[in-house]
Amino acid sequence: MIHLILGGARSGKSSLAEKLARETEQPVVFIATATASDDEMKQRIELHQQQRPNHWLLVEEPFCLSHAIEDYGDADTTILVDCMTLWSSNWLCTNDDQGWFDEKEAFFNALIHSKANILIVSNEVGSGVVPLGELSRKFVDQAGWLNQALAELADKVTLVVAGCHLNLKDTTR
């Protein structure tokens, strides 16, 4: 099953994903896409790490999510990927549009073929104003298209706002 969890900054989306991962009682593989590019981000990463159970396997993968899903996507495993917008941002900063397109397709294929229970966290960035800068607009466009494609693939989609969960899609019923 693929469950996409969307929300704005500090909405509670990661907390919900972690709660759902714990409730599966399966081994959890946490795939982190963040990179510690400055002290503030390093502190955020450390806080997230302290909040997660120590027995979860941590895989830090800022680019090749398809490989991580293929490597750890066994049955009776829960994979939690946090987060899609950082992943797309990592790729945008490389200016490798073809690499991004190829990896995105490989990632979708890995998701489709995985036997794992997969929780995917992503920021919903399309509810605000259109940014002024070209890179910011490209980021919002790419994040929106990525979320749309993931929502189409997902069995469940949940929107989190102020810690409240709104079911947008559920084909598991």
Side-chain angles (χ1 to χ4, degrees):
M1 181 186 73
I2 301 170
H3 186 169
L4 175 63
I5 301 168
L6 299 165
R10 296 291 174 251
S11 62
K13 61 192 176 296
S14 293
S15 296
L16 173 61
E18 291 173 10
K19 176 182 177 280
L20 294 172
R22 278 191 290 277
E23 289 174 355
T24 66
E25 298 182 5
Q26 295 178 325
V28 175
V29 178
F30 188 98
I31 302 175
T33 62
T35 57
S37 55
D38 56 40
D39 288 340
E40 187 268 341
M41 190 57 155
K42 192 180 295 184
Q43 288 175 349
R44 283 178 179 252
I45 290 170
E46 288 172 4
L47 178 63
H48 272 277
Q49 289 173 339
Q50 291 168 4
Q51 294 171 338
R52 288 193 302 267
N54 290 332
H55 63 276
W56 286 7
L57 175 62
L58 172 64
V59 176
E60 294 177 338
E61 184 48 69
F63 294 102
C64 296
L65 288 182
S66 61
H67 295 201
I69 297 295
E70 290 165 356
D71 290 347
Y72 298 99
D74 299 328
D76 301 321
T77 300
T78 294
I79 296 175
L80 194 165
V81 182
D82 197 354
C83 102
M84 292 292 94
T85 43
L86 286 173
W87 179 56
S88 62
S89 183
N90 293 339
W91 274 102
L92 284 173
C93 291
T94 68
N95 292 314
D96 181 1
D97 292 342
Q98 187 61 50
W100 164 239
F101 176 79
D102 293 344
E103 176 52 29
K104 209 171 23 167
E105 289 302 310
F107 175 60
F108 295 153
N109 285 326
L111 290 174
I112 290 166
H113 293 101
S114 178
K115 295 182 182 351
N117 177 42
I118 302 174
L119 300 161
I120 301 172
V121 175
S122 190
N123 287 287
E124 177 49 62
V125 297
S127 298
V129 296
V130 177
L132 293 176
E134 180 183 352
L135 181 59
S136 298
R137 283 192 304 274
K138 188 173 182 180
F139 168 76
V140 169
D141 289 348
Q142 291 298 324
W145 291 326
L146 177 60
N147 286 344
Q148 288 180 53
L150 287 169
E152 186 175 323
L153 278 178
D155 302 295
K156 291 180 78 171
V157 179
T158 301
L159 177 65
V160 182
V161 178
C164 298
H165 319 141
L166 177 62
N167 180 31
L168 301 179
K169 176 182 176 182
D170 189 348
T171 62
T172 63
R173 295 180 189 174

